[in-house]
Amino acid sequence: MKITDFYSYRKPGRRISMITAYDYTLAALAGESDVDCVLVGDSLAMVMHGHGSTIAATADMMALHTAAVARAVKDKLIVGDMPFLSVRKGLGPAMEAVEKLARAGAQAVKIEGVEGHGEIISHIIKSDIPVMGHIGLTPQSVNKFGGYKAQGKDPASAERLVAQALELERLGCFALVLECVPEELAKRITGSLKIPVIGIGAGRFTDGQVLVLHDLLGLYGEPPPFVKKYLDGRRLVVAALNNFDKEVKNSVFPECKGKEYANSEKHGGLAEAQGRPALRR
Ligand code: KIV
């Protein structure tokens, strides 16, 4: 999927799928899959680095992970998240952060919120860097929200979200992420915009859905209730590790192939044939 496909995909019956990726190995699997679009989300601060929120993500951190993802994903749109406060320190620092992400391989950036940084969003778009908006439960505002709480539940905040969505479209965003708002509000916002709306915890009626990859694979903590686990990853990985542990302790692994391995140059050859880097041991 290219950025231009976003518009043509906004037709009845065609939904957009987006998934986060942060590292080379899982990004390569996302790249092999049918998923449309890859987001290097600032959720990496939590999922990859163990922080308690996305506030810990920095532009350098985002660029490092974006570069790893870009090495793996060749034919999909890669969107990089602008981290906490990166659009609130003025135009110069914002453009420096954008440049880091773009040079690392992001073809577009995602920015949370709009109030107070509409001009910066507009400047980024006029600099030919496509911008994906993000409103609703914007995790970088967790401290203002007093936790990870659904947004737009009362009429005033619902109207504010509609206005923000329209403003992001007016500024020239190519798409919008709408996070944790009531389904009816998400339906209304989706129906009010020409650009595609990608929902997360926002019900069935948006133009697409995004999930955190490690939530979908069941690898990271207890996911939010709207997540569907497509794999019981933690159980499977721990079971594999326990199997390895048992086989080592019972002298089942390795089967007497150690000598062959030590004398063989095959390993590097096999890795190369599979198109992945050879082990450096
Ligand atoms: O950082 C992230 O993973 C995100 C998605 C959940 C939308 O912003």
Side-chain angles (χ1 to χ4, degrees), residues 18 20 22 39-44 54 62 81 110 112 134 139 177 179 200 210-212:
M18 182 160 89
T20 63
Y22 319 109
L39 169 70
V40 187
D42 60 354
S43 49
L44 63 80
T54 61
M62 295 308 303
D81 245 346
K110 177 166 77 58
E112 292 190 10
H134 183 169
V177 167
E179 180 159 354
I200 172 163
V210 53
L211 282 180
V212 167

Side-chain angles (χ1 to χ4, degrees), residues 209-228:
Q209 297 289 331
V210 53
L211 282 180
V212 167
L213 179 62
H214 292 64
D215 285 344
L216 175 156
L217 297 179
L219 287 171
Y220 174 77
E222 199 41 53
F226 58 79
V227 168
K228 179 168 174 184

Side-chain angles (χ1 to χ4, degrees), residues 140-151:
Q140 291 169 15
S141 309
V142 61
N143 292 329
K144 179 178 89 175
F145 296 145
Y148 296 100
K149 295 176 182 162
Q151 300 297 302

Side-chain angles (χ1 to χ4, degrees), residues 36-58:
D36 291 314
C37 174
V38 174
L39 169 70
V40 187
D42 60 354
S43 49
L44 63 80
M46 303 169 79
V47 175
M48 291 276 106
H49 294 269
H51 291 288
S53 78
T54 61
I55 287 171
T58 64

Side-chain angles (χ1 to χ4, degrees), residues 99-203:
E99 184 174 358
K100 281 183 186 175
L101 299 197
R103 290 199 192 282
Q107 295 148 22
V109 295
K110 177 166 77 58
I111 297 176
E112 292 190 10
V114 58
E115 283 162 16
H117 50 270
E119 276 183 25
I120 289 182
I121 291 178
S122 174
H123 184 82
I124 296 169
I125 293 168
K126 286 181 186 146
S127 309
D128 294 340
I129 311 287
V131 173
M132 177 179 271
H134 183 169
I135 57 171
L137 198 192
T138 43
Q140 291 169 15
S141 309
V142 61
N143 292 329
K144 179 178 89 175
F145 296 145
Y148 296 100
K149 295 176 182 162
Q151 300 297 302
K153 285 166 77 175
D154 62 88
S157 67
E159 289 313 314
R160 221 172 110 209
L161 284 172
V162 173
Q164 287 178 359
L166 290 168
E167 177 62 359
L168 285 165
E169 177 170 84
R170 191 191 68 75
L171 290 169
C173 288
F174 72 96
L176 186 70
V177 167
L178 190 55
E179 180 159 354
C180 288
V181 304
E183 185 172 78
E184 277 311 305
L185 176 60
K187 189 177 181 182
R188 179 177 160 204
I189 290 176
T190 304
S192 310
L193 299 186
K194 291 184 197 67
I195 57 172
V197 175
I198 302 184
I200 172 163

